[in-house]
Structures are given as C-alpha cells and as structure tokens.
C-alpha cells in the first residue's frame, strides 16, 4: 500500500466502484457517505459516514486525516457537497478531481422536454397525461397542487410530499425491459426524472422511448470548475499520479 491517502466522496455506484479499484491498486482509500442509505452496498475501502459540517468541517477533516487528494464522485444533483469539497480542497491545498457522468443525448424516438426546475415541470404536466412516474422523491412539494396521480420511486422507504402518490421503494440497478413492463403495468402517461447522465439510471429513458412515452427531464446543475474525469479509468490514473511517492 502506498503512503498516500485518497478521499472519495460517494453516495453513487460509480464512487463505490472507483473506491474498490483504488484499494485494488494498493492505494489507501476512504469512501465517504452522507448516511442517507440504511444498508449501503459493501466496499473494500475504509468507509466513513455522515456530513463533515460544511466547508470548515471538511477542511478540518482533510487536515486531520492527512488526505493527499480528493475525488468527488457524488451524484450530479448533490450540488452542496460538491461546492463544499471544491472550497475545502482549495482552502487546504488538497488536489481535487470531479468524476462526472456523461450527459444523456436523445436518440430517434426520444420525446424529452428538459426543464430548469420542478415549478416548470408542474406547469407542463397537466397537459401531458393523468399518471406520472417520478423517478426521485426530493423536492416534490412543487407538484403538490396538481390534480394528477403519481407513482414515486425512491431508493429508501419514506413518505412523499404528494397526496395521491403510490410509492415504490427500489434502488435498482434497473434494466430496460423491466422498466418498460413496470411503466405499462402502471399505465404511466409521462415520466419525470433527473437528467443525471451515465449508464446506471439510463434504463427508464430507453423504456419510455420503447413505449412512446414523453419524459420531463430536470436539468442537472453545472459541475464545479476544475479538473474532471469522465471515466473510472481516468480517475484511477489521476489518483495513481497523486499517490506516487
Ligand atoms: P447535498 O445536498 O449536496 O449535500 C447535503 C449535505 O450532505 C452536505 O452539505 C454534506 O453535509 C452531506 N453530504 C453529502 N454527500 C456527502 C458525502 N458523500 N459524504 C459526507 N457528507 C455528505 O447532497 P444530497 O443531494 O442530499 O445527496 C446526499 C448523498 O446522496 C450524496 O452523497 C449523493 O452522492 C447521494 N445521492 C444523491 C442523489 C440526488 O439526486 N441528490 C441521488 C443519488 C445519490 P456537511 O455539509 O455536513 O458536510
């Protein structure tokens, strides 16, 4: 094991997989989780759980744990931790890399409408159908006034801020044919999803295209400035460079 220590900010499948590959490469690796998931998938890295306490807390952590480099592999919509990581790494002088999912690009047959926020989605939905499949559970207060039926899929058990909502608890991985059967059996008219990008969450888009269903996609926040990797292999190469004695 090399002497350097890498912090991977996680909460995604990509982060877990990257952390495992760093461990396999002999790099001392800490995988950090927010603690939202009751039973997170196992990792070969050292796992720490819970918020750091903002920029100041993360700066203190980076120093106290002698972190040599940090890879932000959080979800593209987890904007606060990404901004905090950028600021803390800059403050402490720890090199930082963002592992950024490839953006989705529509193909023939896709019926996507991209919106900036859920308020905009709320204005469009009533004209698009009666039954809405929502692929996330946060921020749904913006849809609460709509006279529509919702099916909300969330990764962890919990309520949703909608009166007429059926809740499905499932964290995937999802495959196209099962997604298509699910949408058909639920008589879904329209899908509402975050434009997260990458491969893991893509199946619902392919299923919707198969069924000719429209999708409202919530635009993802811009990733913070600074160096980026578009793949695990690139992130691993960057980490090896920073872990070299
Ligand atoms: P967020 O709004 O960016 O972060 C809120 C706070 O949670 C942060 O300020 C930080 O607390 C703590 N936190 C977030 N990620 C952390 C991590 N990896 N390690 C330690 N603390 C972390 O994030 P969010 O949207 O609530 O997402 C929470 C977690 O779920 C993230 O790790 C993300 O990767 C994962 N996730 C999010 C989504 C999504 O759609 N947002 C989807 C799938 C997975 P302190 O300020 O106290 O440090």
């Amino acid at each position: 094991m090399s002497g350097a220590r890498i912090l991977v900010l996680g909460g995604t499948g990509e982060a877990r997989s990257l952390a495992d590959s760093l461990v396999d490469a002999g790099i001392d690796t800490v995988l950090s989780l927010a603690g939202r998931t009751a039973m997170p998938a196992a990792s070969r890295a050292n796992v720490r759980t819970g918020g750091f306490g903002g920029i100041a807390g993360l700066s203190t952590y980076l120093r106290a744990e002698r972190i040599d480099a940090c890879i932000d592999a959080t979800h593209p919509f987890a904007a606060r931790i990404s901004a905090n990581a950028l600021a803390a790494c800059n403050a402490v002088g720890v090199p930082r890399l963002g592992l950024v999912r490839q953006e989705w690009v529509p193909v023939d047959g896709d019926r996507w409408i991209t919106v900036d926020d859920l308020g905009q989605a709320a204005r469009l939905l009533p004209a698009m159908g009666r039954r809405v499949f929502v692929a996330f559970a946060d921020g749904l207060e913006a849809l609460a006034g709509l006279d529509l039926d919702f099916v909300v899929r969330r990764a962890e058990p919990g309520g949703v801020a909608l009166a007429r909502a059926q809740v499905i608890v499932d964290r995937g991985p999802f495959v196209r044919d099962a997604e298509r059967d699910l949408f058909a059996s639920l008589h879904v008219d329209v899908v509402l999803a975050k434009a997260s990008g990458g491969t893991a969450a893509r199946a619902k888009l392919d299923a919707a295209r198969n069924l000719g269903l429209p999708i409202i996609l919530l635009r993802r926040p811009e990733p913070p400035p600074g160096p980026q990797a578009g793949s695990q292999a690139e992130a691993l190469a960057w980490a090896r460079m920073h872990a070299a004695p």
Side-chain angles (χ1 to χ4, degrees):
M1 184 130 337
S2 86
R5 177 179 278 185
I6 305 271
L7 173 67
V8 177
L9 297 171
T12 59
E14 291 95 329
R16 195 183 62 250
S17 173
L18 172 64
D20 283 350
S21 73
L22 293 171
V23 171
D24 294 345
I27 298 171
D28 183 6
T29 303
V30 181
L31 173 63
S32 176
L33 303 177
R36 307 274 197 277
T37 306
M39 300 256 292
S43 167
R44 294 196 285 283
N46 299 308
V47 176
R48 67 150 309 277
T49 305
F52 296 98
I55 298 169
L58 181 50
S59 303
T60 303
Y61 176 89
L62 293 171
R63 280 206 200 90
E65 295 298 319
R66 300 180 188 286
I67 300 295
D68 295 291
C70 172
I71 300 180
D72 177 359
T74 57
H75 190 271
F77 279 75
R80 190 180 319 159
I81 185 67
S82 290
N84 288 357
L86 179 70
C89 287
N90 284 345
V92 177
V94 166
R96 172 211 157 271
L97 177 80
L99 178 58
V100 178
R101 292 180 183 176
Q102 209 154 39
E103 278 201 88
W104 290 327
V105 177
V107 299
D108 262 3
D110 279 325
R111 299 174 59 200
W112 299 358
I113 300 175
T114 302
V115 297
D116 291 325
D117 54 44
L118 281 173
Q120 210 180 331
R123 289 191 287 282
L124 293 171
L125 278 169
M128 297 178 75
R130 297 287 318 154
R131 279 177 76 74
V132 185
F133 183 91
V134 189
F136 55 91
D138 54 314
L140 298 184
E141 302 78 14
L143 310 181
L146 298 179
D147 182 24
L148 298 172
D149 295 320
F150 293 93
V151 180
V152 178
R153 183 164 66 196
R154 54 179 306 154
E156 292 288 312
V160 291
L162 297 170
R164 284 194 347 245
Q166 175 186 346
V167 177
I168 297 176
V169 179
D170 195 347
R171 73 163 91 153
F174 303 110
V175 293
R176 187 200 57 196
D177 290 358
E179 293 284 73
R180 192 188 53 215
D181 293 348
L182 179 70
F183 294 165
S185 69
L186 291 168
H187 305 288
V188 167
D189 296 315
V190 52
V191 175
L192 174 60
K194 293 180 178 180
S196 304
T199 50
R202 164 102 223 174
K204 57 182 170 284
L205 308 186
D206 298 331
R209 183 176 57 251
N210 267 204
L211 292 168
L213 296 179
I215 306 185
I216 297 183
L217 281 176
L218 202 52
R219 195 184 307 281
R220 76 180 188 187
E222 277 297 313
Q228 289 182 4
S231 69
Q232 179 171 313
E234 276 177 51
L236 183 57
W238 184 89
R240 279 184 196 276
M241 196 173 74
H242 287 281

